[in-house]
Amino acid sequence: MNKHVLRDSLEDASVAPEACQVPLTNAERPHAGAEMARVLGTTAFRVALDNCGAAIAHRKYKRVHDVCGPKTHHVIMAYNGSVQRMERRSGRSVATGTFRPGAVIIIPEGSSSRWDIPKPVDVVEFYLPHATLERAAEEADTAGPVNLLERTAHPDPVTSRLLLTAADTLEGNEALDTLFRRQLTSLLATRLLAAHTGLPTTIQPTMGGLSPKVLSRAIERLRPDSDADVSLAALASDAGLSRFHFCRAFKTSTGLSPHAWLRQHRLEEAKNMLRDTDASVISIAVALGYSSQTAFAAAFRKLAGETPSNWRRRAR
């Protein structure tokens, strides 16, 4: 099982406030994670990167009164806290909004504005390369240039829930999390394309599911004892589809996304081994590709509602 996960601490680079006022080329701009760390004055306590350059970070901070300068990525923020008013200033333009659960902030790459958020904030941030957004547009057959709109506490419970859910998946089984993050990146890019760009978009739905032969190959790749590449890109390439359309077709065929199918399959395999063998919990965790017994136990309990040991005792 492919377990390569690219992780980065996104060290908080110091950026002088006046630098936000000087036009920078994209190569000169700070990484979104470093600029957000400077502005918010705190280091993300959980960060995950995939190989396309997208990242997810979870931060808590007291307040914000600073200029957020141009960055290398689009920044999408979902809020998880009490209701409060906020203000964004860009030149002579002033936008106010109410930051509440279900609302998002979108800061397009290259934009610069001053933010005033007076109370403590708990947010999940998503850093999206523009190239990923363009790829989603190409896969969805959307014509014309793609420009992400700036949003200030904009109601979008769909995007908000996706991001907040992602914060709970940054730890545990590496192969499972990697597959989830790749799907999440595609889902979020598609959602942003449909809801937060200035162009009308037409996302073509997948008609029907995968053929039995293609579905069988995909499932064989996803099995724990397979050494095949289980990245979303590899699965989609093998099926001859874009990643977006592969996910849609796979779910039509199985009722589950590739990530959810893999999670459910591992749960059933774990139950069989716990019930029918005397293998230790740690050996079962290793056999199913988990990075540790703790990660396996956490994943099992999340799906089954109890620890592997308790389930084994009850099943026997």
Side-chain angles (χ1 to χ4, degrees):
M1 183 70 70
N2 183 3
K3 298 181 181 178
H4 295 291
V5 180
L6 178 60
R7 297 180 182 271
D8 196 329
S9 62
L10 295 183
E11 294 294 334
D12 297 353
S14 297
V15 180
E18 59 270 19
C20 298
Q21 303 172 8
V22 179
L24 300 174
T25 66
N26 195 58
E28 295 172 324
R29 294 171 185 163
H31 188 283
E35 178 64 2
M36 295 305 293
R38 183 193 67 79
V39 172
L40 303 179
T42 182
T43 302
F45 58 86
R46 289 196 289 182
V47 176
L49 290 176
D50 68 12
N51 58 11
C52 77
I56 299 170
H58 188 183
R59 297 183 196 273
K60 292 183 180 180
Y61 50 93
K62 294 183 178 180
R63 63 187 65 84
V64 179
H65 299 286
D66 204 346
V67 173
C68 184
K71 298 161 291 299
T72 56
H73 295 58
H74 303 299
V75 178
I76 300 88
M77 303 169 68
Y79 186 57
N80 188 32
S82 58
V83 175
Q84 65 167 303
R85 297 285 291 174
M86 59 173 297
E87 182 178 278
R88 175 181 59 82
R89 293 177 177 269
S90 182
R92 296 183 178 180
S93 173
V94 179
T96 59
T98 302
F99 217 0
R100 65 182 70 195
V104 299
I105 287 176
I106 298 179
I107 310 173
E109 70 169 17
S111 69
S112 178
S113 54
R114 175 182 173 84
W115 293 84
D116 291 288
I117 306 176
K119 298 179 181 179
V121 178
D122 182 342
V123 294
V124 174
E125 302 164 2
F126 178 56
Y127 311 138
L128 178 67
H130 189 69
T132 302
L133 190 64
E134 289 184 326
R135 184 168 60 248
E138 181 180 352
E139 292 178 351
D141 300 323
T142 301
V146 179
N147 297 307
L148 198 60
L149 299 176
E150 193 148 14
R151 300 293 200 189
T152 304
H154 184 84
D156 183 353
V158 174
T159 303
S160 176
R161 177 47 52 195
L162 281 170
L163 285 175
L164 294 177
T165 300
D168 295 329
T169 66
L170 303 185
E171 298 175 351
N173 181 274
E174 292 186 346
L176 189 64
D177 287 351
T178 300
L179 182 59
F180 175 81
R181 283 193 293 272
R182 288 169 178 166
Q183 292 182 49
L184 179 71
T185 299
S186 295
L187 285 171
L188 281 167
T190 303
R191 171 63 184 172
L192 293 168
L193 182 69
H196 299 290
T197 57
L199 297 174
T201 58
T202 302
I203 308 295
Q204 298 295 332
T206 301
M207 302 304 293
L210 299 171
S211 69
K213 183 177 180 180
V214 172
L215 179 61
S216 178
R217 286 204 310 266
I219 287 176
E220 283 302 315
R221 278 180 173 271
L222 288 169
R223 292 188 185 280
D225 56 355
S226 171
D227 292 326
D229 184 357
V230 296
S231 68
L232 187 56
L235 291 166
S237 176
D238 186 61
L241 297 170
S242 69
R243 292 179 300 172
F244 173 77
H245 289 117
F246 173 79
C247 285
R248 293 285 297 271
F250 188 95
K251 188 169 185 178
T252 298
S253 295
T254 66
L256 298 169
S257 69
H259 169 260
W261 186 95
L262 180 57
R263 182 176 58 186
Q264 187 63 38
H265 177 74
R266 282 187 170 157
L267 174 66
E268 295 305 320
E269 289 287 301
K271 286 181 175 180
N272 290 338
M273 296 174 74
L274 288 166
R275 182 183 58 244
D276 302 333
T277 76
D278 293 323
S280 65
V281 173
I282 190 170
S283 64
I284 293 174
V286 171
L288 293 177
Y290 286 88
S291 58
S292 67
Q293 181 176 340
T294 301
F296 168 60
F300 189 94
R301 184 167 187 170
K302 187 173 184 179
L303 291 174
E306 57 187 326
T307 65
S309 297
N310 287 343
W311 189 93
R312 169 178 267 173
R313 283 193 293 269
R314 186 173 57 81
R316 291 182 171 183

